[in-house]
Amino acid sequence: MANIISDETIEYVGILAKLELSGEEKEQAKKDIGSMLDYIDKLNELDTTNIEPMSHVFPVHNVFREDIVTNGDDREQILANAPEEKNGAFMVPKTFD
């Protein structure tokens, strides 16, 4: 365990996360964070010179469908349901003066 986490660091992380940690929880957090940093150090040892950077492990494709109008212009039919209508739009009561 090359990465030693100080008590001050755990206190600071606890403040940032708005956590009140007991002494036992602080010790466990120190071990956990140290393990994570050791793992990151291990990953940094890998040779990635010929590896293309990626944002996701699986190929991500645009899944949006084309926007096609299917119901056409039914303005007259829609406005037939309006209690009041003005210039082709719904009339609604004022919400503020």
Side-chain angles (χ1 to χ4, degrees), residues 55-89:
S55 62
H56 200 279
V57 209
F58 301 109
V60 179
H61 303 287
N62 187 353
V63 293
F64 298 118
R65 63 176 169 77
E66 190 172 334
D67 190 13
I68 301 172
V69 177
T70 57
N71 58 352
D73 185 17
D74 295 334
R75 177 180 287 199
E76 301 302 324
Q77 187 178 2
I78 293 169
L79 287 174
N81 295 317
E84 291 185 54
E85 175 259 327
K86 180 179 179 183
N87 299 330

Side-chain angles (χ1 to χ4, degrees), residues 20-90:
E20 292 183 27
L21 300 173
S22 68
E24 185 179 300
E25 291 171 326
K26 288 178 186 178
E27 289 303 314
Q28 185 61 45
K30 282 170 59 171
K31 290 177 189 173
D32 291 343
I33 293 173
S35 296
M36 287 184 246
L37 293 174
D38 288 341
Y39 185 70
I40 291 169
D41 287 343
K42 185 77 169 170
L43 289 175
N44 284 334
E45 294 173 9
L46 296 172
D47 179 23
T48 58
T49 51
N50 295 325
I51 306 297
E52 183 179 334
M54 63 175 77
S55 62
H56 200 279
V57 209
F58 301 109
V60 179
H61 303 287
N62 187 353
V63 293
F64 298 118
R65 63 176 169 77
E66 190 172 334
D67 190 13
I68 301 172
V69 177
T70 57
N71 58 352
D73 185 17
D74 295 334
R75 177 180 287 199
E76 301 302 324
Q77 187 178 2
I78 293 169
L79 287 174
N81 295 317
E84 291 185 54
E85 175 259 327
K86 180 179 179 183
N87 299 330
F90 282 88

